[in-house]
Every structure is written in C-alpha cells, then in structure tokens.
Coordinates of all heavy atoms in Angstrom, one line a residue:
M395 N 19.6 -1.0 -30.0 CA 19.7 -1.4 -28.6 C 18.3 -1.7 -28.0 O 17.3 -1.0 -28.5 CB 20.4 -0.4 -27.8 CG 21.9 -0.4 -27.5 SD 22.8 -1.9 -27.4 CE 22.8 -2.2 -25.7
L396 N 18.3 -2.6 -27.1 CA 16.9 -2.8 -26.4 C 16.7 -1.7 -25.4 O 17.7 -1.2 -24.8 CB 17.0 -4.1 -25.7 CG 17.0 -5.3 -26.6 CD1 17.2 -6.6 -25.7 CD2 15.7 -5.4 -27.3
D397 N 15.5 -1.3 -25.3 CA 15.1 -0.2 -24.3 C 14.5 -0.9 -23.1 O 13.2 -1.4 -23.3 CB 14.2 0.8 -24.9 CG 13.9 1.9 -24.0 OD1 14.9 2.1 -23.1 OD2 12.9 2.7 -24.2
F398 N 15.1 -1.1 -22.0 CA 14.6 -1.8 -20.8 C 13.7 -0.8 -20.0 O 14.0 0.4 -20.0 CB 15.7 -2.3 -20.0 CG 16.4 -3.6 -20.7 CD1 17.6 -3.4 -21.1 CD2 15.8 -4.8 -20.7 CE1 18.3 -4.4 -21.8 CE2 16.4 -5.8 -21.2 CZ 17.6 -5.7 -21.8
P399 N 12.7 -1.3 -19.4 CA 11.7 -0.4 -18.6 C 12.5 -0.1 -17.3 O 13.5 -0.7 -16.9 CB 10.6 -1.4 -18.3 CG 11.1 -2.8 -18.5 CD 12.1 -2.8 -19.6
D400 N 12.0 0.9 -16.7 CA 12.7 1.4 -15.4 C 12.3 0.4 -14.2 O 11.0 0.4 -13.9 CB 12.2 2.8 -15.1 CG 12.9 3.4 -13.9 OD1 13.9 2.9 -13.5 OD2 12.4 4.4 -13.4
F401 N 13.2 -0.1 -13.6 CA 12.9 -1.1 -12.6 C 13.1 -0.5 -11.2 O 13.3 -1.2 -10.2 CB 13.7 -2.3 -12.7 CG 13.3 -3.3 -13.8 CD1 14.1 -3.5 -14.9 CD2 12.1 -3.9 -13.8 CE1 13.7 -4.3 -16.0 CE2 11.6 -4.7 -14.8 CZ 12.4 -4.9 -15.9
S402 N 12.9 0.8 -11.1 CA 13.1 1.5 -9.8 C 11.9 1.2 -8.9 O 10.9 0.7 -9.3 CB 13.3 3.0 -10.0 OG 12.1 3.5 -10.6
L403 N 12.1 1.4 -7.5 CA 11.1 1.2 -6.7 C 9.9 1.9 -6.9 O 9.9 3.0 -7.5 CB 11.5 1.6 -5.3 CG 12.5 0.5 -4.5 CD1 12.9 1.1 -3.2 CD2 11.7 -0.8 -4.3
P404 N 8.7 1.4 -6.7 CA 7.4 2.2 -6.8 C 7.4 3.3 -5.8 O 8.3 3.5 -5.1 CB 6.3 1.1 -6.6 CG 6.9 0.1 -5.8 CD 8.4 0.1 -6.1
N405 N 6.2 3.9 -5.8 CA 6.1 5.1 -5.0 C 6.4 4.6 -3.5 O 5.7 3.7 -3.0 CB 4.6 5.6 -5.0 CG 4.2 6.7 -4.2 OD1 5.1 7.1 -3.4 ND2 3.1 7.2 -4.3
P406 N 7.4 5.2 -2.8 CA 7.7 4.7 -1.4 C 6.6 4.9 -0.4 O 6.5 4.1 0.6 CB 9.0 5.6 -1.1 CG 9.1 6.5 -2.1 CD 8.2 6.2 -3.3
T407 N 5.8 5.9 -0.6 CA 4.7 6.0 0.3 C 3.6 4.9 0.1 O 3.2 4.4 1.2 CB 3.9 7.4 0.1 OG1 4.8 8.4 0.2 CG2 2.8 7.6 1.0
L408 N 3.3 4.5 -1.1 CA 2.5 3.3 -1.2 C 3.1 2.0 -0.7 O 2.4 1.2 -0.2 CB 2.1 3.2 -2.7 CG 1.0 2.3 -3.1 CD1 -0.3 2.7 -2.4 CD2 0.8 2.3 -4.6
L409 N 4.4 2.0 -0.9 CA 5.0 0.8 -0.4 C 5.0 0.7 1.1 O 4.7 -0.4 1.8 CB 6.6 0.8 -0.8 CG 7.3 -0.4 -0.8 CD1 6.7 -1.5 -1.8 CD2 8.8 -0.2 -1.2
L410 N 5.1 1.9 1.9 CA 4.9 1.9 3.3 C 3.5 1.6 3.7 O 3.4 0.9 4.6 CB 5.3 3.3 3.8 CG 5.3 3.5 5.3 CD1 6.3 2.6 6.0 CD2 5.6 5.0 5.6
V411 N 2.6 2.1 2.9 CA 1.2 1.8 3.2 C 0.9 0.3 3.1 O 0.3 -0.3 3.9 CB 0.3 2.6 2.2 CG1 -1.2 2.0 2.2 CG2 0.3 4.1 2.6
L412 N 1.5 -0.3 2.1 CA 1.3 -1.8 1.9 C 1.9 -2.5 3.1 O 1.3 -3.5 3.5 CB 1.9 -2.2 0.6 CG 1.8 -3.6 0.2 CD1 0.3 -4.0 0.0 CD2 2.7 -3.9 -1.1
V413 N 3.1 -2.2 3.5 CA 3.7 -2.8 4.6 C 3.0 -2.7 5.9 O 2.8 -3.7 6.6 CB 5.2 -2.4 4.8 CG1 5.9 -2.8 6.1 CG2 6.1 -2.8 3.6
V414 N 2.6 -1.5 6.2 CA 1.8 -1.2 7.4 C 0.4 -2.0 7.4 O 0.1 -2.6 8.4 CB 1.5 0.2 7.7 CG1 0.5 0.6 8.8 CG2 2.9 0.9 8.0
S415 N -0.2 -2.0 6.3 CA -1.5 -2.7 6.1 C -1.2 -4.2 6.3 O -2.0 -4.9 6.9 CB -2.1 -2.5 4.8 OG -2.3 -1.1 4.7
A416 N -0.2 -4.7 5.7 CA 0.2 -6.2 5.9 C 0.4 -6.6 7.3 O 0.0 -7.6 7.8 CB 1.4 -6.5 5.0
L417 N 1.2 -5.7 8.0 CA 1.4 -6.0 9.5 C 0.1 -6.0 10.3 O 0.0 -6.9 11.1 CB 2.5 -5.0 10.0 CG 3.9 -5.1 9.5 CD1 4.7 -4.0 10.0 CD2 4.4 -6.5 10.1
I418 N -0.7 -5.1 10.1 CA -1.9 -5.0 10.8 C -2.8 -6.1 10.4 O -3.5 -6.8 11.3 CB -2.7 -3.6 10.6 CG1 -1.9 -2.5 11.2 CG2 -4.1 -3.6 11.1 CD1 -2.3 -1.1 11.0
G419 N -2.9 -6.5 9.1 CA -3.7 -7.7 8.7 C -3.1 -8.9 9.3 O -3.9 -9.8 9.7
W420 N -1.8 -9.1 9.3 CA -1.2 -10.3 9.8 C -1.5 -10.4 11.4 O -1.9 -11.5 11.9 CB 0.3 -10.2 9.6 CG 1.0 -11.3 10.2 CD1 1.2 -12.7 9.8 CD2 1.8 -11.3 11.4 NE1 1.9 -13.4 10.7 CE2 2.3 -12.5 11.8 CE3 2.0 -10.3 12.4 CZ2 3.0 -12.9 12.8 CZ3 2.8 -10.6 13.5 CH2 3.3 -11.8 13.8
L421 N -1.4 -9.3 12.1 CA -1.7 -9.3 13.5 C -3.1 -9.7 13.8 O -3.4 -10.5 14.6 CB -1.4 -7.9 14.1 CG -1.6 -7.8 15.6 CD1 -0.7 -8.7 16.4 CD2 -1.5 -6.4 16.1
M422 N -4.0 -9.1 13.0 CA -5.5 -9.3 13.3 C -5.8 -10.9 12.9 O -6.6 -11.5 13.5 CB -6.3 -8.4 12.4 CG -6.3 -7.0 12.9 SD -6.8 -6.8 14.7 CE -8.5 -6.7 14.3
G423 N -5.1 -11.3 11.8 CA -5.3 -12.7 11.4 C -4.8 -13.6 12.4 O -5.3 -14.7 12.7
A424 N -3.6 -13.3 13.0 CA -3.0 -14.2 14.1 C -4.0 -14.2 15.3 O -4.1 -15.2 16.0 CB -1.7 -13.7 14.4
L425 N -4.6 -13.1 15.6 CA -5.5 -13.0 16.8 C -6.9 -13.6 16.6 O -7.3 -14.2 17.4 CB -5.5 -11.6 17.3 CG -4.3 -11.0 17.8 CD1 -4.5 -9.5 18.2 CD2 -3.9 -11.7 19.1
F426 N -7.4 -13.3 15.4 CA -8.8 -13.7 15.3 C -9.1 -14.6 14.1 O -10.3 -14.9 13.9 CB -9.6 -12.3 15.0 CG -9.5 -11.3 16.2 CD1 -8.8 -10.1 16.1 CD2 -10.0 -11.7 17.4 CE1 -8.6 -9.4 17.1 CE2 -9.9 -10.8 18.5 CZ -9.3 -9.6 18.3
G427 N -8.1 -14.9 13.2 CA -8.4 -15.8 12.1 C -8.3 -15.2 10.8 O -7.9 -14.0 10.7
L428 N -8.5 -16.0 9.7 CA -8.2 -15.5 8.3 C -9.0 -14.4 7.9 O -8.5 -13.4 7.5 CB -8.4 -16.8 7.4 CG -8.2 -16.4 5.9 CD1 -6.8 -16.1 5.6 CD2 -8.6 -17.7 5.1
W429 N -10.3 -14.5 7.9 CA -11.2 -13.5 7.4 C -11.1 -12.2 8.1 O -11.0 -11.1 7.4 CB -12.7 -14.0 7.4 CG -12.9 -14.9 6.2 CD1 -13.1 -16.3 6.4 CD2 -12.8 -14.6 4.9 NE1 -13.2 -16.8 5.2 CE2 -13.0 -15.9 4.1 CE3 -12.6 -13.5 4.1 CZ2 -13.0 -16.0 2.8 CZ3 -12.5 -13.7 2.7 CH2 -12.7 -14.8 2.1
P430 N -11.0 -12.1 9.5 CA -10.8 -10.8 10.1 C -9.4 -10.2 9.6 O -9.4 -8.9 9.5 CB -10.8 -11.1 11.6 CG -11.7 -12.2 11.7 CD -11.4 -13.1 10.5
G431 N -8.4 -11.0 9.5 CA -7.1 -10.5 9.0 C -7.2 -9.9 7.6 O -6.7 -8.9 7.4
L432 N -7.9 -10.6 6.7 CA -8.0 -10.1 5.4 C -8.8 -8.8 5.3 O -8.6 -7.9 4.5 CB -8.7 -11.2 4.5 CG -7.8 -12.3 4.1 CD1 -8.7 -13.4 3.3 CD2 -6.6 -12.0 3.3
I433 N -9.9 -8.8 6.1 CA -10.8 -7.6 6.2 C -9.9 -6.4 6.8 O -10.0 -5.3 6.2 CB -12.0 -7.9 7.0 CG1 -12.9 -8.8 6.1 CG2 -12.8 -6.6 7.3 CD1 -14.1 -9.4 7.0
A434 N -9.2 -6.7 7.8 CA -8.4 -5.6 8.4 C -7.3 -5.1 7.4 O -7.1 -3.9 7.4 CB -7.6 -6.1 9.7
F435 N -6.7 -6.0 6.7 CA -5.7 -5.6 5.7 C -6.5 -4.7 4.6 O -5.9 -3.6 4.2 CB -5.1 -6.8 5.0 CG -4.3 -6.5 3.7 CD1 -3.1 -5.9 3.8 CD2 -4.8 -6.7 2.5 CE1 -2.4 -5.4 2.7 CE2 -4.1 -6.3 1.4 CZ -2.9 -5.7 1.5
A436 N -7.5 -5.1 4.1 CA -8.3 -4.4 3.0 C -8.7 -3.0 3.5 O -8.5 -2.0 2.8 CB -9.4 -5.2 2.5
V437 N -9.3 -3.0 4.7 CA -9.8 -1.7 5.2 C -8.5 -0.8 5.5 O -8.6 0.5 5.2 CB -10.6 -2.0 6.5 CG1 -10.9 -0.6 7.3 CG2 -11.9 -2.6 6.2
T438 N -7.6 -1.2 6.2 CA -6.3 -0.5 6.5 C -5.7 0.1 5.2 O -5.3 1.2 5.1 CB -5.3 -1.3 7.3 OG1 -6.0 -1.8 8.4 CG2 -4.2 -0.3 7.8
F439 N -5.5 -0.8 4.3 CA -4.9 -0.4 3.0 C -5.7 0.7 2.2 O -5.2 1.7 1.8 CB -4.8 -1.6 2.1 CG -4.0 -1.3 0.7 CD1 -2.6 -1.1 0.7 CD2 -4.8 -1.0 -0.4 CE1 -2.1 -0.8 -0.5 CE2 -4.2 -0.7 -1.6 CZ -2.8 -0.6 -1.6
T440 N -7.1 0.5 2.3 CA -7.9 1.5 1.6 C -7.8 2.8 2.3 O -7.6 3.9 1.7 CB -9.3 1.0 1.5 OG1 -9.4 -0.3 0.9 CG2 -10.2 1.9 0.9
I441 N -8.0 2.8 3.6 CA -7.9 4.1 4.4 C -6.5 4.8 4.2 O -6.5 6.0 4.0 CB -8.2 3.8 5.8 CG1 -9.7 3.5 6.0 CG2 -7.9 5.1 6.7 CD1 -10.0 3.0 7.4
L442 N -5.4 4.1 4.3 CA -4.2 4.7 4.3 C -3.8 5.2 2.9 O -3.2 6.1 2.6 CB -3.1 3.8 4.8 CG -3.0 3.4 6.3 CD1 -1.9 2.5 6.6 CD2 -2.8 4.8 7.0
A443 N -4.2 4.3 1.8 CA -4.0 4.7 0.5 C -4.7 6.1 0.1 O -4.2 6.9 -0.5 CB -4.3 3.6 -0.5
I444 N -5.9 6.2 0.5 CA -6.7 7.4 0.2 C -6.2 8.5 1.0 O -5.9 9.7 0.6 CB -8.2 7.2 0.6 CG1 -8.8 6.2 -0.4 CG2 -9.0 8.5 0.7 CD1 -10.2 5.7 0.0
W445 N -5.8 8.4 2.4 CA -5.3 9.4 3.1 C -3.9 9.9 2.7 O -3.6 11.1 2.8 CB -5.1 8.8 4.6 CG -4.8 9.9 5.7 CD1 -5.2 11.2 5.7 CD2 -3.9 9.7 6.8 NE1 -4.7 11.8 6.8 CE2 -3.9 10.9 7.4 CE3 -3.2 8.6 7.3 CZ2 -3.1 11.0 8.7 CZ3 -2.5 8.8 8.4 CH2 -2.4 9.9 9.1
T446 N -3.1 9.0 2.1 CA -1.7 9.5 1.7 C -1.7 9.8 0.2 O -0.6 10.1 -0.3 CB -0.7 8.4 1.9 OG1 -1.1 7.2 1.4 CG2 -0.6 8.2 3.5
A447 N -2.8 9.7 -0.5 CA -2.8 10.0 -1.9 C -2.5 11.5 -2.2 O -3.0 12.3 -1.4 CB -4.1 9.7 -2.6
P448 N -1.9 11.9 -3.2 CA -1.6 13.2 -3.6 C -2.9 13.9 -4.0 O -3.8 13.2 -4.6 CB -0.6 13.2 -4.8 CG -0.6 11.8 -5.3 CD -1.1 10.9 -4.2
R449 N -3.1 15.1 -3.7 CA -4.4 15.9 -3.9 C -4.0 17.0 -4.9 O -3.0 17.6 -4.9 CB -4.9 16.4 -2.6 CG -5.4 15.3 -1.7 CD -5.8 15.8 -0.3 NE -6.2 14.8 0.6 CZ -5.4 14.0 1.1 NH1 -4.1 14.1 1.0 NH2 -5.9 13.0 1.9
G450 N -5.1 17.4 -5.6 CA -5.0 18.5 -6.4 C -4.2 18.2 -7.8 O -3.7 17.2 -8.0
P451 N -4.2 19.2 -8.7 CA -3.6 19.0 -9.9 C -2.0 19.0 -9.8 O -1.4 19.6 -8.9 CB -3.9 20.3 -10.7 CG -4.3 21.3 -9.8 CD -4.7 20.5 -8.5
R452 N -1.4 18.2 -10.6 CA 0.0 18.1 -10.5 C 0.6 19.3 -11.3 O 0.2 19.6 -12.4 CB 0.5 16.7 -11.2 CG -0.1 15.5 -10.4 CD 0.7 14.4 -10.8 NE 2.0 14.4 -10.3 CZ 2.7 13.2 -10.2 NH1 2.2 12.1 -10.4 NH2 4.0 13.4 -9.7
R453 N 1.6 19.8 -10.8 CA 2.3 21.0 -11.5 C 3.8 20.6 -11.7 O 4.4 20.0 -10.8 CB 2.2 22.2 -10.7 CG 0.7 22.6 -10.4 CD 0.6 23.9 -9.7 NE -0.9 24.0 -9.4 CZ -1.5 25.2 -9.4 NH1 -0.8 26.3 -9.5 NH2 -2.8 25.2 -9.2
R454 N 4.3 21.0 -12.7 CA 5.7 20.8 -13.0 C 6.5 22.0 -12.9 O 6.1 23.1 -13.2 CB 5.9 20.2 -14.4 CG 5.2 18.8 -14.4 CD 5.5 18.2 -15.7 NE 5.0 16.9 -15.8 CZ 5.5 15.8 -16.4 NH1 6.6 15.9 -17.0 NH2 4.8 14.7 -16.4

C-alpha cells in the first residue's frame, strides 16, 4: 500500500500568527502603500513567531 503523508493542519499557533500578521500587513498596505505593508507584515510575523515559539527542551 502507498503511505500518504499526514495532511493535518500545521501548528495552529503559527497559523494564527500568519493570519494576524497578514491582516496587519494588509491594513498598513491599504493605508500607506505596498512597501510599508510588506514591512509591517514581516516585522509583525517575526515578532509574533518569536514571542509564541515554544521554549526550553521538549519532554515526552
């Protein structure tokens, strides 16, 4: 039989970070133009991804 990869959703926290960053980038882009929107998306995504990242060693 073929072994298919797991197509479940990625990390839901990272998905939420992506959505929030996209909304903020879209808003800043609508207000101030393309480059401020892209910069706002990149900065927001970086800050939220680092802030919500798991810390310390993983234990099972």
Side-chain angles (χ1 to χ4, degrees):
M395 267 328 266
L396 291 173
D397 188 23
F398 290 104
D400 183 18
F401 287 114
S402 61
L403 279 174
N405 183 353
T407 304
L408 191 58
L409 202 59
L410 182 65
V411 165
L412 183 63
V413 168
V414 168
S415 301
L417 286 174
I418 291 174
W420 175 78
L421 179 65
M422 294 298 280
L425 291 175
F426 301 110
L428 176 65
W429 285 109
L432 290 175
I433 292 169
F435 168 76
V437 169
T438 306
F439 181 80
T440 303
I441 290 171
L442 289 178
I444 290 171
W445 187 37
T446 58
R449 291 170 183 79
R452 297 189 71 154
R453 300 185 186 207
R454 293 186 182 216

